[in-house]
Amino acid sequence: MNAPLPRIDAHQHFWKLERGDYGWLTEDMGPLYRDYLPEDFAPIRKAHGIAGTVLVQAAPTVAETEFMLSLADRHDFIKGVVGWVDLEKQDAIDQLARLSKHPKLVGIRPMIQDIPDDVWMLAPRLVPALTELESYPLTFDALTLPRHLSHLLTLLERHPGLKVVIDHASKPEIRAGEFIQWAQDISALAQRTSAWCKLSGLVTEAPENWTADDLKPYVDHLLTVFGPARLIWGSDWPVCTLAATYEKWVATTEHLLAGLSEEDARRVWFDNAVEAYGLDVEA
């Protein structure tokens, strides 16, 4: 009997409401409107054999990045932190230099989906910080929506040194049945850049009573264009719990990846996260 594949959860969150910098997190978010901290995740991690996680920013503040790094200092299972820096500010380069000294900072994520200007990422004022980021072994995590993908392609062609990870496959509009334009735009990024793509966040874009069949066309397309060598699994916990338990998302992923060889499945579940984020973790 083969041993279970090792797993990295390359996209999860912790937050503490009293910090006051989660502008999107309001009482109408229901079960998300409470603290989520390492002790809440411990039984999930144990139940699913998660060897480590990447903790991702949920607030557009450097203070929250420092909070996440403090959690990573105290909890070894947090193998990497994707933080936030205001790329428009004059001190962005200094902030990158300071934060990058922490061994567990592995990436930077601007919250592009929440910025009103769809072409914000192409603004000339961002060029100095983006050029500096190219010189670091840090990812640029792209929290984009489908309408941003053509602009993201332009950005990557201007900054080919950026190590980009597309979060949540850019949130395809599964609920509305939108596929063709997203598929064309994500294909262009896969074919013309070296970007990685996260297999995460799909359940919250799906219909209320979704099944694996609702997700399958999107996942199959991602497997076709990125291949198993550039897809990275993540849960988006606890946000995913709005649409599925952690267990259901794991089981759905296992079902959707069932056609892969053991080697390729391991890439998606473990190896690609280690490579993309430069994690120090053993299987």
Side-chain angles (χ1 to χ4, degrees), residues 184-212:
Q184 291 174 349
D185 290 341
I186 205 82
S187 294
L189 275 156
Q191 293 162 6
R192 294 166 58 181
T193 79
S194 58
W196 306 77
C197 183
K198 276 188 187 169
L199 185 58
S200 62
L202 299 181
V203 295
T204 45
E205 306 306 316
E208 183 176 356
N209 297 309
W210 64 269
T211 68

Side-chain angles (χ1 to χ4, degrees), residues 26-201:
T26 55
E27 291 187 37
D28 62 3
M29 299 297 289
L32 295 188
Y33 192 70
R34 68 171 181 85
D35 293 349
Y36 283 89
L37 294 167
E39 53 266 31
D40 299 299
F41 190 67
I44 295 171
R45 183 168 56 88
K46 182 177 180 180
H48 296 283
I50 305 298
T53 73
V54 176
L55 179 57
V56 179
Q57 64 85 225
T61 66
V62 170
E64 196 233 5
T65 298
E66 292 168 336
F67 166 67
M68 292 190 298
L69 290 171
S70 74
L71 291 177
D73 285 336
R74 300 197 299 274
H75 299 277
D76 185 61
F77 76 86
I78 303 173
K79 301 301 182 181
V81 169
V82 175
W84 182 92
V85 166
D86 190 340
L87 299 175
E88 298 186 58
K89 290 285 184 68
Q90 288 189 344
D91 70 347
I93 290 174
D94 292 338
Q95 292 281 24
L96 283 171
R98 181 178 68 84
L99 292 169
S100 67
K101 291 177 182 177
H102 195 292
K104 287 191 175 180
L105 186 82
V106 297
I108 297 296
R109 183 172 88 149
M111 300 178 81
I112 295 171
Q113 69 171 16
D114 297 328
I115 297 171
D117 182 3
D118 286 352
V119 295
W120 170 86
M121 70 186 86
L122 302 178
R125 62 186 179 277
L126 271 62
V127 169
L130 290 171
T131 301
E132 183 71 10
L133 185 58
E134 288 182 270
S135 69
Y136 285 92
L138 302 174
T139 65
F140 177 92
D141 268 46
L143 178 60
T144 54
L145 300 173
R147 67 176 184 269
H148 296 114
L149 288 174
S150 62
H151 307 310
L152 183 61
L153 177 58
T154 300
L155 179 71
L156 270 60
E157 289 176 337
R158 292 180 182 177
H159 295 275
L162 282 178
K163 186 164 66 168
V164 170
V165 177
I166 303 169
D167 286 353
H168 313 322
S170 203
K171 296 191 171 184
E173 297 176 31
I174 304 171
R175 194 175 301 111
E178 299 290 343
F179 180 82
I180 294 174
Q181 189 62 55
W182 167 83
Q184 291 174 349
D185 290 341
I186 205 82
S187 294
L189 275 156
Q191 293 162 6
R192 294 166 58 181
T193 79
S194 58
W196 306 77
C197 183
K198 276 188 187 169
L199 185 58
S200 62

Side-chain angles (χ1 to χ4, degrees), residues 234-246:
S235 69
D236 198 25
W237 184 91
V239 179
C240 69
T241 61
L242 293 173
T245 62
Y246 200 99

Side-chain angles (χ1 to χ4, degrees), residues 199 219 233-234 248-258 268-269:
L199 185 58
V219 174
W233 183 80
K248 183 176 181 181
W249 174 231
V250 168
T252 299
T253 306
E254 291 173 340
H255 173 73
L256 292 170
L257 300 183
V268 178
W269 285 105

